[in-house]
Amino acid sequence: MAIVRHLQEQYQAFENVFLVPYPKDTVDITVDLRDNRRQIIASLTHTVAPGDILIRTIGAESHTPYETIQPAADPEHCIHIAYVAEGYTESQMDSFIEDCKTANEALFAHEPFKTLRSKFNIIAVKSPSHDSGTSEPSKGIWKNTALHSNFDTFYSDRYLTTLHLKDLHNWLAGTPYEHIIVLVNTDKYGGGGILNSYNLSMTKHSLFKPVVVHEFGHSFAGLGDEYAYGYEQIPMYPHDIEPWEPNLTTLVNFDSKWKDMVKKGTKIPTTFNETEKKMEKWNIGAYEPAGYSMHGVYRPFPDCRMRTNQNPEFCPVCRRAITRLIDFYTEKN
Ligand SMILES: [Zn+2]
């Protein structure tokens, strides 16, 4: 899901949470905010002294109850994923656990997760909500839930997010986690994924499975959206700058992307024969549209989990990017 429109420019503050190793000595931590040309537009440096009396230790004594859905083969070299309940009351936790299992089977039906499944340790964190469901501002519905999530983020009706990141991490304190999948108990279509922050998806809609996997592509691997809205151009990727997402290119620096995977003789940019239905006959190339642009931004393959909900798998370039990241996390040095 993309941030689809900017109604007006304005300055606002959002809370955010960054996971860092607990420092042994005083350190300066700098956070830079960059625009779509990767220029720093705001910067904040915070000094962290481990002995600071205002650092509150939570999670050591008590933590939110959780169940292990899938243990990793080697707990020392694995990736920890936590599913977090949103909009499930205490009495609906059995339904949450069922939804976690459904999401998990969908994720691990996709390569390369399928082959590398044993490298993931997965837990389900039972954070209870007072109300069932989630907020829908466009209908005037506001709920009291564990993470205070809502539809209509940036006034986009299907953009479902939470801005309460401190609450999210407080629920998780004391549990093993590096990546977060928030499951929202609603039958309305929506979701969102933010790299290294969280993946959030509805659970009671028929497209739950492809959406949760697509959003995990964003939040876990930093994959970009391989689609455009025909009716609306979003200038997220300036055409003179190579995007950082591993599955998008403006051809400014194609060498840094998947050029090595393109078969000899394939024309770049590549045109796709729309009548070719057989995936085995598809070639890796550079196809428009992608990255919310009808022109000037290219994707690697005719279709992919990062392009449509119908395609059953990630394209070869996305698969390689995910594999590289799993290796990065789990390599034994
Ligand atoms: Zn892809």
Side-chain angles (χ1 to χ4, degrees):
M1 184 87 43
I3 297 166
V4 291
R5 57 175 68 90
H6 306 272
L7 288 179
Q8 61 190 78
E9 275 199 13
Q10 56 179 308
Y11 289 97
Q12 256 186 296
F14 296 92
E15 66 179 52
N16 210 337
V17 174
F18 300 97
L19 297 178
V20 294
Y22 200 79
K24 287 188 175 145
D25 206 343
T26 302
V27 292
D28 285 339
I29 295 177
T30 299
V31 178
D32 293 332
L33 177 67
R34 291 167 190 265
D35 64 12
N36 66 344
R37 301 194 66 83
R38 290 210 281 281
Q39 303 297 313
I40 295 171
I41 52 170
S43 189
L44 172 87
T45 296
H46 180 67
T47 302
V48 178
D52 190 330
I53 56 160
L54 293 182
I55 294 177
R56 179 179 157 214
T57 308
I58 54 172
E61 249 106 269
S62 65
H63 54 72
T64 314
Y66 69 87
E67 279 182 27
T68 300
I69 300 283
Q70 174 184 315
D74 175 0
E76 295 291 311
H77 299 93
C78 71
I79 300 166
H80 293 95
I81 297 177
Y83 287 99
V84 180
E86 164 66 347
Y88 294 83
T89 61
E90 286 280 10
S91 64
Q92 292 174 322
M93 282 306 159
D94 288 348
S95 168
F96 168 63
I97 296 297
E98 278 313 303
D99 291 340
C100 289
K101 288 177 182 165
T102 303
N104 214 43
E105 290 312 312
L107 181 62
F108 289 100
H110 287 70
E111 290 292 4
F113 296 111
K114 193 175 173 182
T115 304
L116 300 172
R117 184 167 189 157
S118 66
K119 290 179 185 266
F120 288 84
N121 190 79
I122 315 246
I123 62 169
V125 179
K126 300 188 220 176
S127 38
S129 289
H130 183 267
D131 294 333
S132 178
T134 184
S135 297
E136 297 179 50
S138 63
K139 292 185 189 161
I141 299 170
W142 292 94
K143 297 274 178 87
N144 180 8
T145 56
L147 299 174
H148 306 285
S149 65
N150 61 271
F151 281 96
D152 302 301
T153 306
F154 299 118
Y155 301 97
S156 170
D157 62 341
R158 59 184 190 150
Y159 199 12
L160 173 61
T161 67
T162 175
L163 295 176
H164 297 260
L165 292 178
K166 281 190 202 161
D167 290 346
L168 173 58
H169 288 268
N170 284 348
W171 283 116
L172 286 162
T175 67
Y177 75 103
E178 286 150 355
H179 284 272
I180 301 165
I181 301 177
V182 177
L183 297 185
V184 187
N185 187 19
T186 177
D187 58 8
K188 191 180 158 181
Y189 183 85
I194 301 166
L195 173 59
N196 287 338
S197 187
Y198 65 78
N199 158 2
L200 189 145
S201 168
M202 80 290 171
T203 54
K204 307 299 187 198
H205 186 280
S206 57
L207 289 173
F208 166 37
K209 292 197 266 187
V211 168
V212 74
V213 179
H214 173 95
E215 300 302 342
F216 196 67
H218 289 307
S219 69
F220 176 73
L223 301 173
D225 278 321
E226 297 182 16
Y227 57 79
Y229 303 100
Y231 55 88
E232 187 179 31
Q233 299 304 295
I234 300 162
M236 191 144 142
Y237 300 103
H239 295 176
D240 59 336
I241 290 177
E242 184 64 32
W244 55 261
E245 287 88 343
N247 61 331
L248 296 179
T249 184
T250 47
L251 299 176
V252 169
N253 186 3
F254 193 35
D255 283 359
S256 70
K257 292 295 166 65
W258 59 89
K259 197 178 172 188
D260 59 308
M261 295 172 79
V262 176
K263 250 200 261 163
K264 240 184 144 184
T266 308
K267 265 183 110 183
I268 301 293
T270 323
T271 8
F272 175 54
N273 175 5
E274 297 288 343
T275 57
E276 185 52 76
K277 299 269 181 258
K278 281 195 182 140
M279 214 185 290
E280 307 82 64
K281 291 198 175 166
W282 292 354
N283 288 319
I284 298 172
Y287 299 85
E288 285 176 330
Y292 327 118
S293 282
M294 291 307 286
H295 300 291
V297 185
Y298 304 87
R299 65 184 194 273
F301 212 52
D303 208 353
C304 174
R305 169 59 62 248
M306 296 314 290
R307 178 166 166 77
T308 65
N309 283 328
Q310 291 75 42
N311 199 63
E313 56 187 32
F314 287 103
C315 74
V317 169
C318 286
R319 289 204 293 268
R320 179 170 76 167
I322 295 166
T323 304
R324 282 176 170 174
L325 197 62
I326 295 171
D327 289 347
F328 169 78
Y329 274 105
T330 58
E331 249 169 31
K332 295 173 192 179
N333 293 318

